Amino acid sequence: MDSRLQEIKIGIFNDLIDSVDLTELSKLDPSAVREEISDIVSEIISMRNLVMSANEQQLVISDICNDVLGLGPLEPLLARDDIADIMVNGAEKVYIECGGKIELTDIKFRDNAQLMNICQRIVSAVGRRVDESSPICDARLMDGSRVNVIAPPLSIDGPALTIRKFKKDKLTLDHLVRFNSITPKGAELLKIIGRCRINVIVSGGTGSGKTTLLNCLTLFIDQGERVITCEDAAELQLQQPHVVRLETRPPNLEGVGQVTMRDLVKNCLRMRPERIIVGEVRGSEAFDLLQAMNTGHDGSMGTIHANNPREAISRVENMIAMGGFSLPAKTVREQIAGAVQVIVQAARLRDGSRKITHVTEVVGMEGEVITLQDLLVYEILGEDERGKIIGRHRPTGLRPKFWDRARYFGLEKELAEAMEDVVA
């Protein structure tokens, strides 16, 4: 939008605020609000004798509706399904991640006040707040997209807003096969892991697709099972009919009322869950999740930030230590080895592609060391002339420790086929 139109829009917007109570207006149905705003804006344009083409008028009306109802200048980006992340660094700079690469857009906010207003609208919709006294906030949009806001004075150049977008089409393992993130045999192995009620940790770095992969694994949970999810900002999209979704809560203005992830996981155990799914394990709740995995809640799952399966085990150990549990290292490792059965490692490679690089089994203990065995590994062979990485998923040929469990669930034949050494 050019500077002339921008000035006109600001003038019309200010007139609109003077003539209408926007909070009352936003209680109406969105289509009715758009109609109402269109009528009022048309009146303001004719009263001010503004010279505008029909297209320009429509553009201004659309922008004002987005400001009042939606996320202002970000609305066109939210409508695009090819964008994974939207990163707003103050009013002047909006970046997107598209195809694994970050690029600057030409979208700008009117000023930091407009950006802050939109941030407050997002977080207040889920009962949270962001201002100078509480400048950090996690929230979510209506479609499940995850939102993080950090406001001044912590963010120096204006509010920083990060949106991890949720795709409208829910991804399945078949989609991951089509994207070459895993082979058909590897996908079959993951299906069996999901169906055999195996305790799984999905490990990976930021933006590697951990939550997507966790969602894919939950598709194979039996329809009759009671599943409870615990998250900081609810974003898992389970398809089962019997799901209870829980979400943490930050402290209020007086600094009380906080409900932590650990509180949720502990409370889960009183809700007769069959599976517990923790969106992201990042603190002392790791201990409670291990306890749950060890006490009959088979098939529980969670994600963790780590760069390889061995590091994922170390991170769980460190989280338990940071939680203030004064247990001997060997005892903690025995708990981990007894609880976690499979680690699925996701990674975003340097060309922007996402791959499942390891499916690794926790075998047990040797002395004071947890032993792991890889069932499936992604090998990088080189790259083509366009910089795309060439690689292959290679089954190691090792017999999984959960073979008997697969037989119990009647999936021994499928597991044998999935473990065949077929190169993609």
Side-chain angles (χ1 to χ4, degrees), residues 54-113:
N55 272 352
E56 287 175 334
Q57 189 167 328
Q58 209 48 50
L59 188 64
V60 166
I61 289 170
S62 171
D63 264 29
I64 288 173
C65 287
N66 286 342
D67 274 358
V68 174
L69 290 172
L71 304 188
L74 298 180
E75 282 292 320
L77 298 181
L78 290 168
R80 281 175 56 183
D81 213 30
D82 59 330
I83 294 173
D85 289 88
I86 300 168
M87 295 149 277
V88 184
N89 305 353
E92 295 290 307
K93 286 184 179 171
V94 178
Y95 289 88
I96 57 170
E97 186 202 298
C98 203
K101 302 287 181 185
I102 291 177
E103 53 192 75
L104 180 64
T105 67
D106 56 0
I107 286 172
K108 289 178 171 59
F109 288 81
R110 190 167 59 246
D111 51 29
N112 281 329

Coordinates of all heavy atoms in Angstrom, one line a residue, residues 54-113:
A54 N -12.4 2.3 -7.0 CA -13.2 1.2 -6.4 C -12.2 0.2 -5.8 O -12.4 -0.3 -4.7 CB -14.1 0.5 -7.4
N55 N -11.1 -0.1 -6.5 CA -10.1 -1.1 -6.0 C -9.4 -0.6 -4.8 O -9.2 -1.3 -3.8 CB -9.0 -1.3 -7.1 CG -9.4 -2.4 -8.0 OD1 -10.4 -3.1 -7.8 ND2 -8.7 -2.6 -9.1
E56 N -9.0 0.7 -4.8 CA -8.4 1.3 -3.6 C -9.3 1.3 -2.4 O -8.9 1.0 -1.3 CB -7.9 2.8 -3.9 CG -6.7 2.8 -4.9 CD -6.4 4.3 -5.3 OE1 -7.3 5.1 -5.2 OE2 -5.2 4.5 -5.6
Q57 N -10.6 1.6 -2.7 CA -11.5 1.7 -1.6 C -11.7 0.3 -1.0 O -11.7 0.1 0.3 CB -12.9 2.1 -2.1 CG -13.9 2.4 -1.0 CD -15.1 3.1 -1.6 OE1 -15.0 4.0 -2.5 NE2 -16.3 2.9 -1.0
Q58 N -11.7 -0.8 -1.8 CA -11.9 -2.1 -1.4 C -10.6 -2.6 -0.6 O -10.7 -3.2 0.4 CB -12.0 -3.1 -2.6 CG -12.8 -4.3 -2.3 CD -14.1 -4.1 -1.6 OE1 -14.9 -3.2 -1.9 NE2 -14.3 -4.8 -0.5
L59 N -9.4 -2.1 -1.0 CA -8.2 -2.4 -0.3 C -8.2 -1.8 1.1 O -7.8 -2.5 2.0 CB -7.0 -1.9 -1.2 CG -5.6 -2.3 -0.7 CD1 -5.4 -3.8 -0.8 CD2 -4.5 -1.6 -1.5
V60 N -8.6 -0.6 1.2 CA -8.6 0.1 2.5 C -9.6 -0.6 3.4 O -9.3 -0.8 4.6 CB -9.0 1.6 2.3 CG1 -9.4 2.3 3.6 CG2 -7.8 2.4 1.7
I61 N -10.8 -0.9 2.9 CA -11.8 -1.6 3.7 C -11.3 -2.9 4.2 O -11.4 -3.3 5.4 CB -13.2 -1.8 2.9 CG1 -13.9 -0.4 2.7 CG2 -14.1 -2.8 3.6 CD1 -15.0 -0.4 1.7
S62 N -10.7 -3.7 3.3 CA -10.1 -5.0 3.6 C -9.1 -4.9 4.7 O -9.0 -5.6 5.7 CB -9.5 -5.6 2.4 OG -8.8 -6.8 2.7
D63 N -8.2 -3.8 4.6 CA -7.1 -3.6 5.6 C -7.7 -3.2 6.9 O -7.2 -3.7 8.0 CB -6.2 -2.5 5.1 CG -4.9 -3.1 4.4 OD1 -5.1 -4.2 3.8 OD2 -3.9 -2.5 4.4
I64 N -8.7 -2.4 6.9 CA -9.3 -1.9 8.2 C -10.0 -3.1 8.9 O -9.9 -3.3 10.1 CB -10.2 -0.7 8.0 CG1 -9.4 0.5 7.7 CG2 -11.1 -0.5 9.2 CD1 -10.2 1.7 7.3
C65 N -10.7 -4.0 8.1 CA -11.3 -5.2 8.7 C -10.3 -6.1 9.3 O -10.5 -6.7 10.4 CB -12.1 -5.9 7.6 SG -13.6 -5.1 7.1
N66 N -9.2 -6.3 8.6 CA -8.1 -7.1 9.1 C -7.5 -6.5 10.4 O -7.2 -7.3 11.4 CB -6.9 -7.2 8.1 CG -7.3 -8.2 7.0 OD1 -8.3 -8.9 7.1 ND2 -6.6 -8.1 5.9
D67 N -7.4 -5.2 10.5 CA -7.0 -4.5 11.7 C -7.9 -4.7 12.9 O -7.5 -5.0 14.0 CB -6.8 -3.0 11.5 CG -5.4 -2.7 10.9 OD1 -4.6 -3.6 10.7 OD2 -5.2 -1.5 10.6
V68 N -9.2 -4.6 12.6 CA -10.2 -4.7 13.7 C -10.5 -6.2 14.1 O -10.6 -6.5 15.3 CB -11.6 -4.1 13.2 CG1 -12.7 -4.3 14.2 CG2 -11.4 -2.6 12.9
L69 N -10.5 -7.1 13.1 CA -10.9 -8.5 13.4 C -9.8 -9.4 13.5 O -9.8 -10.3 14.3 CB -11.9 -9.0 12.3 CG -13.3 -8.4 12.2 CD1 -14.0 -8.8 11.0 CD2 -14.1 -8.7 13.4
G70 N -8.8 -9.2 12.6 CA -7.7 -10.2 12.4 C -6.4 -9.7 12.9 O -6.3 -9.0 13.9
L71 N -5.4 -10.1 12.2 CA -4.0 -9.8 12.6 C -3.4 -8.7 11.7 O -2.2 -8.7 11.4 CB -3.1 -11.0 12.6 CG -3.6 -12.2 13.5 CD1 -2.6 -13.3 13.6 CD2 -4.0 -11.7 14.9
G72 N -4.2 -7.8 11.2 CA -3.8 -6.7 10.4 C -3.0 -7.1 9.2 O -3.4 -8.0 8.4
P73 N -1.8 -6.5 9.0 CA -1.0 -6.8 7.8 C -0.6 -8.3 7.7 O -0.1 -8.7 6.6 CB 0.3 -6.0 8.0 CG -0.1 -5.0 9.0 CD -1.1 -5.6 9.9
L74 N -0.7 -9.1 8.8 CA -0.2 -10.5 8.7 C -1.3 -11.4 8.1 O -1.0 -12.6 7.8 CB 0.1 -11.0 10.1 CG 1.2 -10.3 10.9 CD1 1.4 -10.9 12.2 CD2 2.5 -10.4 10.1
E75 N -2.5 -10.9 7.9 CA -3.6 -11.8 7.4 C -3.3 -12.5 6.1 O -3.5 -13.7 6.0 CB -4.9 -11.0 7.3 CG -5.6 -10.7 8.6 CD -6.2 -12.0 9.2 OE1 -6.7 -12.8 8.5 OE2 -6.1 -12.1 10.5
P76 N -2.7 -11.8 5.1 CA -2.4 -12.5 3.9 C -1.4 -13.6 4.1 O -1.4 -14.6 3.4 CB -1.7 -11.3 3.0 CG -2.2 -10.1 3.6 CD -2.4 -10.3 5.0
L77 N -0.4 -13.4 5.0 CA 0.6 -14.5 5.3 C -0.1 -15.7 5.9 O 0.3 -16.8 5.6 CB 1.7 -13.9 6.2 CG 2.5 -12.8 5.6 CD1 3.6 -12.4 6.6 CD2 3.2 -13.1 4.3
L78 N -1.0 -15.4 6.8 CA -1.7 -16.6 7.5 C -2.5 -17.4 6.5 O -2.7 -18.6 6.7 CB -2.6 -16.0 8.6 CG -1.9 -15.5 9.8 CD1 -2.8 -14.7 10.7 CD2 -1.2 -16.6 10.6
A79 N -3.0 -16.7 5.4 CA -3.8 -17.4 4.4 C -2.9 -18.4 3.5 O -3.5 -19.3 2.9 CB -4.5 -16.4 3.6
R80 N -1.6 -18.1 3.5 CA -0.7 -18.9 2.6 C -0.3 -20.2 3.3 O 0.1 -20.2 4.5 CB 0.5 -18.1 2.3 CG 0.3 -17.1 1.1 CD 1.5 -16.3 0.9 NE 2.7 -17.1 0.6 CZ 3.9 -16.5 0.4 NH1 4.1 -15.2 0.5 NH2 4.9 -17.3 0.1
D81 N -0.5 -21.3 2.7 CA -0.2 -22.6 3.3 C 1.2 -23.1 3.1 O 1.7 -24.1 3.7 CB -1.2 -23.7 2.8 CG -1.5 -24.7 3.9 OD1 -1.5 -24.3 5.1 OD2 -1.7 -25.9 3.5
D82 N 2.0 -22.3 2.3 CA 3.4 -22.7 2.1 C 4.4 -22.1 3.1 O 5.6 -22.3 3.0 CB 3.8 -22.3 0.7 CG 3.7 -20.8 0.4 OD1 2.8 -20.2 1.1 OD2 4.5 -20.2 -0.4
I83 N 3.8 -21.3 4.0 CA 4.7 -20.6 5.0 C 4.7 -21.4 6.3 O 3.6 -21.8 6.8 CB 4.2 -19.2 5.3 CG1 4.4 -18.3 4.0 CG2 4.9 -18.5 6.4 CD1 3.8 -16.9 4.1
A84 N 5.9 -21.7 6.8 CA 6.0 -22.5 8.1 C 6.0 -21.6 9.3 O 5.5 -21.9 10.3 CB 7.2 -23.4 8.0
D85 N 6.8 -20.4 9.2 CA 7.0 -19.5 10.3 C 6.8 -18.1 9.9 O 7.2 -17.7 8.8 CB 8.3 -19.7 11.0 CG 8.5 -21.0 11.7 OD1 8.9 -22.0 11.1 OD2 8.3 -21.0 12.9
I86 N 6.2 -17.2 10.7 CA 6.2 -15.8 10.5 C 6.9 -15.2 11.7 O 6.6 -15.4 12.8 CB 4.7 -15.3 10.5 CG1 4.0 -16.0 9.3 CG2 4.7 -13.8 10.3 CD1 2.5 -15.7 9.4
M87 N 7.9 -14.3 11.4 CA 8.8 -13.7 12.4 C 8.7 -12.2 12.2 O 9.2 -11.7 11.2 CB 10.2 -14.2 12.3 CG 10.4 -15.7 12.6 SD 11.7 -16.5 11.6 CE 10.9 -16.8 10.1
V88 N 8.1 -11.5 13.2 CA 8.0 -10.0 13.2 C 9.0 -9.4 14.1 O 8.9 -9.7 15.3 CB 6.6 -9.6 13.6 CG1 6.4 -8.1 13.4 CG2 5.5 -10.3 12.7
N89 N 10.0 -8.7 13.6 CA 11.0 -8.0 14.4 C 10.7 -6.5 14.5 O 11.3 -5.7 13.7 CB 12.4 -8.2 13.8 CG 12.8 -9.7 13.6 OD1 12.0 -10.6 14.0 ND2 13.9 -9.9 12.9
G90 N 9.7 -6.1 15.2 CA 9.3 -4.7 15.3 C 8.4 -4.4 14.1 O 8.2 -5.3 13.2
A91 N 7.9 -3.2 14.0 CA 6.9 -2.8 13.0 C 7.5 -2.8 11.6 O 6.7 -3.0 10.6 CB 6.4 -1.4 13.3
E92 N 8.8 -2.7 11.4 CA 9.4 -2.5 10.1 C 9.8 -3.8 9.3 O 9.9 -3.8 8.1 CB 10.6 -1.6 10.1 CG 10.3 -0.1 10.6 CD 9.5 0.6 9.5 OE1 10.0 0.7 8.4 OE2 8.4 1.2 9.8
K93 N 10.0 -4.9 10.1 CA 10.6 -6.1 9.5 C 9.7 -7.3 9.8 O 9.5 -7.7 10.9 CB 12.0 -6.3 10.0 CG 13.0 -5.3 9.4 CD 14.4 -5.7 9.8 CE 15.4 -4.7 9.2 NZ 16.7 -4.9 9.8
V94 N 9.2 -7.9 8.7 CA 8.5 -9.2 8.8 C 9.2 -10.2 8.0 O 9.3 -10.0 6.7 CB 7.0 -9.0 8.4 CG1 6.3 -10.3 8.5 CG2 6.3 -8.0 9.3
Y95 N 9.7 -11.3 8.6 CA 10.3 -12.4 7.9 C 9.4 -13.6 7.8 O 8.5 -13.8 8.7 CB 11.6 -12.8 8.6 CG 12.7 -11.8 8.4 CD1 12.9 -10.8 9.4 CD2 13.7 -11.9 7.4 CE1 13.9 -9.8 9.3 CE2 14.7 -11.0 7.3 CZ 14.8 -10.0 8.2 OH 15.8 -9.1 8.1
I96 N 9.6 -14.4 6.8 CA 8.8 -15.7 6.8 C 9.8 -16.8 6.5 O 10.9 -16.6 5.9 CB 7.7 -15.7 5.7 CG1 8.3 -15.4 4.3 CG2 6.6 -14.8 6.0 CD1 7.4 -15.6 3.1
E97 N 9.4 -18.0 6.9 CA 10.2 -19.2 6.5 C 9.4 -20.0 5.5 O 8.2 -20.4 5.7 CB 10.5 -20.1 7.7 CG 11.4 -21.3 7.2 CD 11.4 -22.5 8.2 OE1 11.7 -22.3 9.3 OE2 11.0 -23.6 7.7
C98 N 9.9 -20.1 4.3 CA 9.2 -20.8 3.2 C 10.2 -21.8 2.5 O 11.3 -21.5 2.1 CB 8.8 -19.7 2.2 SG 7.5 -20.2 1.1
G99 N 9.8 -23.1 2.5 CA 10.6 -24.1 1.9 C 11.9 -24.3 2.7 O 13.0 -24.6 2.1
G100 N 11.9 -24.1 4.0 CA 13.1 -24.3 4.8 C 14.0 -23.1 4.8 O 15.1 -23.1 5.5
K101 N 13.7 -22.0 4.0 CA 14.6 -20.9 4.0 C 13.9 -19.6 4.5 O 12.7 -19.4 4.3 CB 15.0 -20.6 2.5 CG 15.8 -21.8 1.8 CD 17.2 -21.9 2.4 CE 17.9 -23.1 1.7 NZ 19.2 -23.3 2.3
I102 N 14.7 -18.7 5.2 CA 14.1 -17.5 5.7 C 14.2 -16.4 4.7 O 15.3 -16.2 4.1 CB 14.8 -17.1 7.1 CG1 14.4 -18.2 8.1 CG2 14.4 -15.7 7.5 CD1 15.1 -18.0 9.5
E103 N 13.1 -15.6 4.5 CA 13.2 -14.5 3.6 C 12.4 -13.3 4.2 O 11.5 -13.4 4.9 CB 12.7 -14.8 2.2 CG 11.3 -15.5 2.2 CD 11.0 -16.1 0.9 OE1 11.5 -17.2 0.6 OE2 10.1 -15.6 0.1
L104 N 12.9 -12.1 3.8 CA 12.2 -10.8 4.2 C 11.1 -10.5 3.3 O 11.2 -10.6 2.1 CB 13.3 -9.7 4.2 CG 12.8 -8.3 4.7 CD1 12.4 -8.3 6.1 CD2 13.9 -7.3 4.4
T105 N 9.9 -10.1 3.9 CA 8.8 -9.7 3.1 C 8.7 -8.2 3.0 O 9.4 -7.5 3.8 CB 7.4 -10.2 3.8 OG1 7.2 -9.5 5.0 CG2 7.5 -11.7 4.0
D106 N 7.8 -7.7 2.2 CA 7.6 -6.2 2.1 C 6.5 -5.7 3.0 O 6.1 -4.6 3.0 CB 7.4 -5.8 0.7 CG 6.2 -6.5 0.1 OD1 5.5 -7.3 0.8 OD2 5.9 -6.2 -1.1
I107 N 6.0 -6.6 3.9 CA 4.9 -6.2 4.8 C 5.5 -5.4 6.0 O 6.5 -5.7 6.6 CB 4.2 -7.5 5.3 CG1 3.4 -8.1 4.2 CG2 3.4 -7.2 6.6 CD1 2.8 -9.4 4.4
K108 N 4.8 -4.3 6.3 CA 5.2 -3.5 7.5 C 3.9 -3.1 8.3 O 2.8 -3.1 7.7 CB 5.8 -2.2 7.0 CG 7.2 -2.4 6.4 CD 7.8 -1.1 5.9 CE 9.3 -1.2 5.5 NZ 9.5 -2.2 4.4
F109 N 4.1 -2.8 9.5 CA 3.0 -2.3 10.4 C 3.1 -0.8 10.4 O 4.1 -0.2 10.1 CB 3.2 -2.9 11.8 CG 2.9 -4.3 12.0 CD1 3.8 -5.3 11.6 CD2 1.6 -4.7 12.4 CE1 3.5 -6.6 11.7 CE2 1.3 -6.1 12.5 CZ 2.2 -7.0 12.2
R110 N 1.9 -0.2 10.7 CA 1.9 1.3 10.7 C 2.9 1.8 11.7 O 3.6 2.7 11.5 CB 0.5 1.7 11.1 CG 0.1 3.1 11.0 CD -1.4 3.4 11.1 NE -2.0 3.0 12.4 CZ -2.8 2.0 12.5 NH1 -3.2 1.3 11.4 NH2 -3.3 1.6 13.6
D111 N 2.9 1.2 12.9 CA 3.9 1.5 14.0 C 3.9 0.4 15.0 O 3.2 -0.5 14.9 CB 3.6 2.9 14.6 CG 2.1 3.0 15.1 OD1 1.5 1.9 15.4 OD2 1.5 4.1 15.1
N112 N 4.8 0.6 16.0 CA 4.9 -0.5 17.0 C 3.6 -0.6 17.9 O 3.3 -1.6 18.4 CB 6.1 -0.2 18.0 CG 7.4 -0.6 17.3 OD1 7.4 -1.6 16.5 ND2 8.5 0.1 17.6
A113 N 2.8 0.5 18.0 CA 1.6 0.5 18.7 C 0.6 -0.4 18.1 O -0.1 -1.2 18.7 CB 1.0 1.9 18.8

